[in-house]
Amino acid sequence: MNRKYRKTVIAGNWKMNMLPSQVKGFAEELKNISPKAKWCETVICAPYVDLPAAVKAFKDLRISVGAENLNENPKGAFTGEVSSAMLCDLGVKYVILGHSERRQYYGETDAGVNRKVLVALEAGLTPIVCVGESLEQREMGITLEHIALQVKSALYGVPAEKVRRVVIAYEPIWAIGTGKTATAQQAGEVCSAIRNVIRELYGARVARSVTIQYGGSMNEKNAAELLAQPDIDGGLIGGASLVPEKFAAIIAAANQE
Ligand code: PEP
């Protein structure tokens, strides 16, 4: 973490796991045990149908709410889809884009992720852009090339003043939901390479202001060590964000002085 130049952001990704009727109870439990977020911004990203309840329940806790996706079009005949304007209207502040599950199961491409990033920024949402290599790519030694391509594609056409509002989440696919965490050194190395890509594109001042998270089986036990890496400015947390005690412990690790 480097709090001098950029925000630390701890974000939960509930995926398709929490019912709207469970949101209030979760928020109450978290409120009882969660430390006051002194240094870090805390976010819960939730399924669309949970968002109204989440915005209401987390307001008191000063936790921002994010969506897990959006449609790249501003409005129109796109049955079943949700626009950036709809999310903003609800009071949503963040949106996860390009999660590996969306790339893998719903055919999301780098170009599509880029269109969504542009739409999100235009609406005033903070995109959390996920990038990450597969195990095969890591073993072939092409992790950094693959990630550089994903980052450059996602940021194509994004002006410097808006890049500061983008959060990049480095999520090695082999570490998501598997219990296998990248070592702090592996994660730190890739996050630092991501910052170098941003430096190449936008210069050093912009690069040092961008928040880069690590995601992939981050939990209450490994969070402090991962967050101690200079280029890891927070976490995107799946499984552990569904358990108030675990999520609170990760927030506490990010709050440590
Ligand atoms: C994720 O899906 O973004 C994630 C990091 O999941 P988990 O923490 O469960 O590995």
Side-chain angles (χ1 to χ4, degrees), residues 110-119 121 129 148-160 162-163 166 168 197 201-202:
D110 285 338
V113 172
N114 173 243
R115 287 192 291 274
K116 292 183 178 192
V117 169
L118 295 172
V119 160
L121 287 169
V129 180
L149 185 65
Q150 285 187 318
V151 171
K152 287 182 186 171
S153 311
L155 297 180
Y156 183 73
V158 176
K162 285 191 177 169
V163 168
V166 175
I168 308 277
V197 172
L201 295 173
Y202 296 98

Side-chain angles (χ1 to χ4, degrees), residues 20-254:
S21 59
Q22 295 174 314
V23 172
K24 194 171 170 221
F26 178 97
E28 277 163 6
E29 266 189 68
L30 190 63
K31 191 175 179 177
N32 291 334
I33 53 174
S34 183
K36 279 231 154 44
K38 247 189 306 180
W39 300 105
C40 76
E41 160 98 352
T42 310
V43 185
I44 290 281
C45 297
Y48 291 138
V49 293
D50 291 358
L51 293 174
V55 169
K56 196 168 165 210
F58 290 119
K59 201 173 169 194
D60 257 18
L61 283 85
R62 301 240 185 111
I63 292 181
S64 300
V65 173
E68 298 174 9
N69 185 26
L70 53 65
N71 185 275
E72 68 209 54
N73 296 285
K75 67 186 283 188
F78 301 99
T79 302
E81 292 294 290
V82 170
S83 72
S84 54
M86 291 168 180
L87 297 176
C88 291
D89 194 56
L90 278 181
V92 168
K93 303 280 185 232
Y94 284 77
V95 61
I96 297 175
L97 296 176
H99 191 280
S100 62
E101 286 153 15
R102 295 214 57 86
R103 294 178 191 259
Q104 190 182 345
Y105 305 135
Y106 301 100
E108 289 207 358
T109 61
D110 285 338
V113 172
N114 173 243
R115 287 192 291 274
K116 292 183 178 192
V117 169
L118 295 172
V119 160
L121 287 169
E122 184 63 33
L125 293 164
T126 297
I128 299 178
V129 180
C130 302
V131 297
E133 82 286 4
S134 64
L135 188 56
E136 200 183 6
Q137 287 167 325
R138 177 159 282 270
E139 284 170 355
M140 283 165 72
I142 58 168
T143 297
L144 298 184
E145 286 90 335
H146 173 71
I147 291 203
L149 185 65
Q150 285 187 318
V151 171
K152 287 182 186 171
S153 311
L155 297 180
Y156 183 73
V158 176
E161 66 278 8
K162 285 191 177 169
V163 168
R164 293 169 191 272
R165 279 190 15 234
V166 175
V167 173
I168 308 277
Y170 166 53
E171 298 211 305
I173 298 170
W174 48 271
I176 297 179
T178 56
K180 279 188 207 154
T181 321
T183 64
Q185 196 205 340
Q186 280 172 327
E189 190 180 289
V190 179
C191 290
S192 134
I194 291 173
R195 200 172 308 286
N196 285 339
V197 172
I198 301 172
R199 188 174 298 123
E200 262 174 48
L201 295 173
Y202 296 98
R205 282 183 67 181
V206 172
R208 76 180 182 200
S209 70
V210 173
T211 296
I212 303 175
Q213 299 173 317
Y214 168 77
S217 300
M218 190 188 260
N219 59 36
E220 69 288 4
K221 297 195 187 89
N222 58 28
E225 196 191 350
L226 287 158
L227 293 170
Q229 291 288 315
D231 282 301
I232 300 184
D233 311 309
L236 183 56
I237 298 121
S241 74
L242 293 163
V243 184
E245 291 77 14
K246 293 186 179 179
F247 195 54
I250 296 172
I251 299 170

